[in-house]
Amino acid sequence: MTLQKKATVVSSSVAAFLTLIKFAIGLLSGSVAVLASAVDSILDMFVSLFNYYAINNAEKPADEIFNYGRGKIEALASVIEGVIITMSGLFLLYTAVKKYFTHEVSSHLNTSLIVMIISLFVTIALVIYLNYVAKKTDNMVIKADALHYKTDVWVNGAVLVSIVVVYFTGFEIVDIIIGGAISIFIIYSAYELIEEGILVLLDRALDDDIAKQIITIIKNEPKINDYHFLKTRGAGNNNFVDVHLVFDCVITLLETHTISDQIEQKIKQIDNNKEWIVTIHMDPYDDSDFNSESNNKENSTIQN
């Protein structure tokens, strides 16, 4: 089992444990803040299980049906996770508003306090572990999971404050305000997950720093006259690079092929943790203008 798969199993198990204790105490005490945290943990559990499924499929090799692999399923998982988090935030906001109008009173605050202290320390330990895995694997799903549980740390801390204030003052409005604030924070935190996932699904180019390194590698080869049509994108653990390299027309095909292989190997060394799919088109002269005009004519014909 890969490290990222183990991380999803650990996060799923932790979420299941926290769901059990927080949901029971949340229903028993009537605290909106505790119940809000419980609902968030339920969603955490299902999201972590889905993340395991996503990573398991993303790691499968390319085949006849998925020629480029299934790497984008990780981006899809990030979008789904963000949407689920947003929905949970909206539900929690509804719960807080409902308590305000029904004047419900919290109870069993001592037990709630103990549960939330345990939850806070367990979640902090999980975030530390997920951050370690995310840095080592650079996996989008694990990064999303780590960010998700970071918000849970703030949620648990806010719930603790709510319980303490209500316990000593009896002001139920504090529970409502903090519960509502948590829900808004959850919705806000989901935006980054959704945005990142959508950008990958739309084939966003790799970071400018990586593109600059690729260009430097190409320009440092003296037998390459020029380059054009450099395109990059990422999907899961795969980085895709397409480029046209312009050679002198008298150079042999064998030599251009050898140089292209060397360029490909240097590009792959930019990040050894990634799988690189590099496609190089070898040109005997700069045909970028001709190809651009051809593409424009094709697009014009299609539109007409």
Side-chain angles (χ1 to χ4, degrees), residues 49-64:
L49 289 172
F50 180 77
N51 287 344
Y52 178 86
Y53 167 81
I55 290 174
N56 185 57
N57 278 274
E59 291 178 349
K60 291 180 179 179
D63 53 34
E64 292 182 357

Side-chain angles (χ1 to χ4, degrees), residues 142-166:
I142 302 302
K143 287 180 179 179
D145 227 18
L147 177 62
H148 188 181
Y149 283 103
K150 282 179 186 177
T151 66
D152 285 358
V153 171
W154 291 102
V155 168
N156 293 329
V159 173
L160 269 175
V161 172
S162 171
I163 293 172
V164 170
V165 172
V166 173

Side-chain angles (χ1 to χ4, degrees), residues 168-186:
F168 285 106
T169 66
F171 294 154
E172 292 291 337
I173 190 65
V174 174
D175 180 52
I176 295 171
I177 292 172
I178 290 182
I182 289 172
S183 66
I184 294 172
F185 179 72
I186 289 174

Side-chain angles (χ1 to χ4, degrees), residues 252-269:
T252 65
L253 177 60
L254 176 61
E255 192 172 1
T256 59
H257 191 277
T258 301
I259 294 171
S260 297
D261 283 345
Q262 293 172 352
I263 294 295
E264 182 177 343
Q265 291 304 314
K266 290 177 181 179
I267 291 174
K268 290 180 178 180
Q269 292 172 7

Side-chain angles (χ1 to χ4, degrees), residues 55-122:
I55 290 174
N56 185 57
N57 278 274
E59 291 178 349
K60 291 180 179 179
D63 53 34
E64 292 182 357
I65 299 176
F66 299 97
N67 297 166
Y68 293 95
R70 299 170 173 83
K72 283 189 177 181
I73 196 172
E74 293 185 1
L76 181 61
S78 181
V79 173
I80 293 174
E81 184 171 350
V83 171
I84 291 174
I85 294 171
T86 301
M87 292 173 63
S88 70
L90 292 172
F91 173 77
L92 300 179
L93 186 60
Y94 163 78
T95 305
V97 173
K98 180 182 176 183
K99 180 173 181 177
Y100 175 77
F101 286 105
T102 57
H103 305 291
E104 296 175 13
V105 179
S106 302
S107 59
H108 301 281
L109 295 178
N110 287 331
T111 307
S112 298
L113 183 63
I114 294 173
V115 166
M116 293 313 302
I117 290 174
I118 294 173
S119 178
L120 179 62
F121 282 101
V122 170

